[in-house]
Amino acid sequence: MCKIDQTNGSLVEVNCVSSGGERPREFEIDPTGNYVLVANMISNNVCTFKMNRKTGYLTLTQNIKTDNSPQGFGFLERKLN
C-alpha cells in the first residue's frame, strides 16, 4: 500500500501484505476508503482488508473461497427514500 508524499506528490510505500491468495487479479478500495478488496485468480478467493486511513496499513478481515475465479468488483450506491 502506498501514500502520497505531500511535498512532491510521489507515491511512498507504506507496507506490503500478501493478497491472501494466489495471483491477484484486481483490487478496489471501497467508497468509504476503509476497506480494500482483492480478487485472487488462481486460488479462487476474495480477501477483504481493513485499511487504517492514517497509516495506510492493511489488516486481513475476511477470506472467502469462491467456486470460480473472481473477475472484479463494483460498488453500488444505495439511495435512501
Side-chain angles (χ1 to χ4, degrees), residues 18-30:
S18 168
S19 68
E22 189 177 343
R23 197 165 309 152
R25 178 184 200 99
E26 181 178 347
F27 77 93
E28 292 287 337
I29 299 172
D30 83 303

Side-chain angles (χ1 to χ4, degrees), residues 27-41:
F27 77 93
E28 292 287 337
I29 299 172
D30 83 303
T32 68
N34 293 315
Y35 294 93
V36 176
L37 286 80
V38 180
N40 293 289
M41 191 164 65

Side-chain angles (χ1 to χ4, degrees), residues 35-71:
Y35 294 93
V36 176
L37 286 80
V38 180
N40 293 289
M41 191 164 65
I42 301 299
S43 54
N44 297 337
N45 68 321
V46 174
C47 291
T48 304
F49 296 88
K50 173 77 172 147
M51 183 168 59
N52 182 311
R53 293 183 69 176
K54 288 187 179 182
T55 65
Y57 282 91
L58 302 176
T59 304
L60 180 66
T61 59
Q62 195 169 33
N63 187 336
I64 301 170
K65 184 76 170 163
T66 63
D67 291 335
N68 297 306
S69 179
Q71 300 299 308

